[in-house]
Amino acid sequence: MIIYPILYAAAYLASAGGHTILAGLELGIAAIYLFAESVKRSGSLCDLRGLFSLSFSGGEALAVMRLSYLSSDWSPVTWFSFFAAQMVFLAAWELTGLSLEGRGGFGTALGGSEETGGWNSVFGGSRSTVFEGGQGKCGGHSAGSGDSARHAVAACAFSVAVVSFLSFLFEAFRLGYVPLFVRGVPHAYSEFHLMGVHYITVSCVLVPGLDMIYLKLRKDAGEQFSVRVRSVGSINRFHFLNGNMIGKRDLFFDRLAEFALILSLAVPILCVSRFQMMFGILIAVAVYVRMFDRIRPWMLPAALAVIVVLFAVLSVARSHDAAYLNQVFEMKNEHMPVFFSQPYIYIANNYENFDYMVRALAKHSMGAKSMMPLLTFTGIKFLKPGLVEWPMYFVKEELTTTTILYDAYYDFGISGVILFSALLGGAARWIAHRTEKCENPVMFLIYGQAAVYLLLAFFTTWFSLPVTWFYFGVTAAAAIAVGLRN
């Protein structure tokens, strides 16, 4: 871990000397090193520690390059906040690992190691088979991987998708328009929002992840059934595995999962929401990478290509042309193509917003910013609006995204950053540990959400957003339903 402080100090000195490209390259190398080290030790491309390091420090590397006129020299407080966040996250991960596993070191394994058994051994990898008689066992507990559990997962995906789509229809009816069919209004989706109802609409992003869990459970059950059929030589139209039928009933739930996926993708398209579309796809990819024991080389580039294409199409549908975007981004190279400048500014400017807040903040909110979910769900913010009416500090009014640390610093300054990073690192390690235990397959959806939040640590505060906790609530309800069904 000593390499990161050395490269960070070098980047700080290079930036202070005006060598911004060099500073960015040094931070980029540090981010890639931390990610590669985490993947090497855990054996998983979806390692939560590695994703945070790659995202947060990698995003900082892009911002340090100052390719836009919106960029400026950061204050020493900003530099130290970013450094402390990365180091404290790593330290909290290690300390939590010591508590949970009884061993430490930078390479405490998440999965894939012979010592922990790894996720390959959990879901039908090379070392063991989970389905024995139709019931799965993970870490000595019922994994919910039998017929009842996987059918419950499909039913949960269908239920969330239907409720989400009906909520969208209700919003469209009350507001009188569908964003996809509105032309010449760049911010049509921003106005497509009914208080409280929209949380239900956007819950569609969880469906692709649930479908991916169902796909894995269905695949493993099918493989075990094929082995059983070959061993008994059965050719009946309907087959049974330890009393569980494999046949028309599974086909019904297959169709149910497919229809749920169609509905879940229709909502962000009709809403013209690039974020919802990418968020749902990224969760599904994270679940896939975490659960499946074989990742073909073309899969991740293919997923990235799909996201890029959908992002571009939905940008056009939102009436955001290149001239408008380039005017907002204020890139130093005026001829830089928008497909590069747009993702760059969506990453880099968040760090600029943080620095601007550090310089301009008059007083700390003493916890009020981070307590927004509690104030929202309890209704306190409607009774006392003054509790949530804190000014926001943005370099440019069109660019309102922030890093994951924004509210933590807003609350308590550097102390808030350190406390939040410690909680984040510890929680990430706990989620990884619980996923290893695999007591309920829906735990992989929680892991997928955590992976996306950490992968997009440069984007927004996440855990200060009520919708994040609404997603966790829906996921918890699905986990309870699957557990009870099993």
Side-chain angles (χ1 to χ4, degrees):
M1 214 159 45
I2 190 64
I3 293 178
Y4 176 76
I6 293 174
L7 287 174
Y8 198 90
Y12 175 76
L13 293 175
S15 178
H19 306 292
T20 57
I21 300 299
L22 176 60
L25 291 175
E26 289 169 336
L27 275 178
I29 292 172
I32 293 172
Y33 165 77
L34 291 176
F35 175 73
E37 188 71 9
S38 296
V39 170
K40 177 183 176 182
R41 301 298 179 87
S42 70
S44 173
L45 287 172
C46 205
D47 178 89
L48 296 182
R49 172 182 50 186
L51 291 179
F52 175 79
S53 300
L54 181 65
S55 169
F56 188 77
S57 293
E60 185 182 358
L62 291 177
V64 163
M65 292 183 178
R66 298 183 207 163
L67 301 181
S68 168
Y69 289 113
L70 299 174
S71 304
S72 61
D73 292 335
W74 293 345
S75 72
V77 173
T78 298
W79 279 96
F80 181 76
S81 295
F82 294 156
F83 175 75
Q86 180 68 76
M87 293 299 293
V88 171
F89 179 92
L90 295 175
W93 176 282
E94 294 302 330
L95 292 175
T96 305
L98 282 170
S99 175
L100 293 173
E101 301 291 350
R103 62 175 183 271
F106 185 85
T108 301
L110 290 182
S113 76
E114 295 294 336
E115 291 143 339
T116 63
W119 62 273
N120 280 334
S121 63
V122 170
F123 274 99
S126 60
R127 288 188 293 277
S128 66
T129 301
V130 68
F131 287 97
E132 298 184 45
Q135 293 295 324
K137 295 289 181 178
C138 300
H141 300 280
S142 174
S145 300
D147 291 347
S148 295
R150 72 172 181 273
H151 294 164
V153 170
C156 287
F158 177 77
S159 299
V160 173
V162 169
V163 172
S164 171
F165 193 77
L166 291 176
S167 176
F168 163 78
L169 293 178
F170 177 75
E171 285 193 293
F173 174 76
R174 290 294 301 271
L175 297 174
Y177 71 96
V178 174
L180 180 64
F181 305 130
V182 175
R183 291 291 176 266
V185 184
H187 305 290
Y189 170 66
S190 301
E191 304 299 326
F192 190 81
H193 184 283
L194 290 179
M195 186 174 297
V197 178
H198 200 64
Y199 290 149
I200 302 174
T201 300
V202 298
S203 63
C204 62
V205 300
L206 302 176
V207 174
L210 284 169
D211 270 6
M212 197 60 68
I213 295 172
Y214 174 77
L215 178 64
K216 175 59 178 174
L217 300 180
R218 181 74 171 87
K219 174 179 176 291
D220 285 353
E223 289 176 353
Q224 285 297 309
F225 172 71
S226 297
V227 172
R228 179 68 174 231
V229 169
R230 287 195 299 270
S231 67
V232 300
S234 174
I235 57 173
N236 295 331
R237 182 178 179 186
F238 302 108
H239 303 288
F240 293 83
L241 182 61
N242 197 31
N244 296 314
M245 187 174 71
I246 303 290
K248 283 189 173 180
R249 193 177 182 202
D250 275 305
L251 293 177
F252 168 75
F253 283 100
D254 287 349
R255 302 292 87 79
L256 208 63
E258 291 167 2
F259 185 63
L261 181 62
I262 293 172
L263 286 181
S264 69
L265 295 178
V267 171
I269 291 174
L270 292 170
C271 288
V272 199
S273 175
R274 297 168 301 188
F275 171 74
Q276 286 182 33
M277 178 65 73
M278 290 189 296
F279 192 69
I281 293 174
L282 287 174
I283 290 179
V285 170
V287 171
Y288 180 90
V289 172
R290 189 66 183 82
M291 291 187 74
F292 280 74
D293 54 358
R294 175 180 292 182
I295 308 298
R296 293 176 176 83
W298 58 267
M299 290 180 174
L300 295 180
L304 180 61
V306 170
I307 291 174
V308 170
V309 171
L310 289 172
F311 189 91
V313 170
L314 291 178
S315 292
V316 173
R318 292 180 76 169
S319 301
H320 286 175
D321 58 26
Y324 167 79
L325 293 174
N326 285 328
Q327 179 183 3
V328 172
F329 299 157
E330 297 186 32
M331 301 301 292
K332 293 179 180 178
N333 183 352
E334 297 179 356
H335 303 292
M336 183 176 293
V338 71
F339 67 80
F340 178 84
S341 61
Q342 187 168 21
Y344 169 82
I345 208 71
Y346 277 12
I347 296 173
N349 196 71
N350 304 329
Y351 296 83
E352 299 301 329
N353 284 338
F354 183 93
D355 180 66
Y356 181 64
M357 181 262 297
V358 167
R359 295 173 181 274
L361 186 63
K363 64 176 181 177
H364 296 292
S365 58
M366 307 306 295
K369 290 284 291 176
S370 296
M371 294 296 288
M372 177 64 78
L374 179 63
L375 298 176
T376 298
F377 292 132
T378 58
I380 294 177
K381 80 168 189 177
F382 304 108
L383 298 176
K384 296 184 177 181
L387 291 175
V388 298
E389 291 178 353
W390 294 88
M392 298 297 287
Y393 301 93
F394 302 127
V395 175
K396 196 163 188 173
E397 61 179 356
E398 293 92 344
L399 302 173
T400 59
T401 52
T402 62
T403 70
I404 200 170
L405 302 178
Y406 191 93
D407 286 353
Y409 186 92
Y410 206 125
D411 280 340
F412 301 111
I414 293 178
S415 299
V417 169
I418 293 174
L419 175 61
F420 174 77
S421 301
L423 292 174
L424 187 62
R429 185 64 184 89
W430 181 86
I431 290 173
H433 176 75
R434 297 309 302 171
T435 305
E436 277 298 314
K437 296 299 182 182
C438 187
E439 296 173 351
N440 189 308
V442 179
M443 188 68 201
F444 284 95
L445 183 60
I446 296 178
Y447 190 99
Q449 289 171 249
V452 174
Y453 297 143
L454 297 180
L455 179 64
L456 301 179
F458 59 80
F459 186 68
T460 190
T461 51
W462 290 121
F463 299 102
S464 300
L465 303 178
V467 69
T468 296
W469 296 100
F470 185 83
Y471 289 154
F472 279 133
V474 173
T475 305
I480 292 171
V482 172
L484 292 175
R485 178 63 176 170
N486 189 57

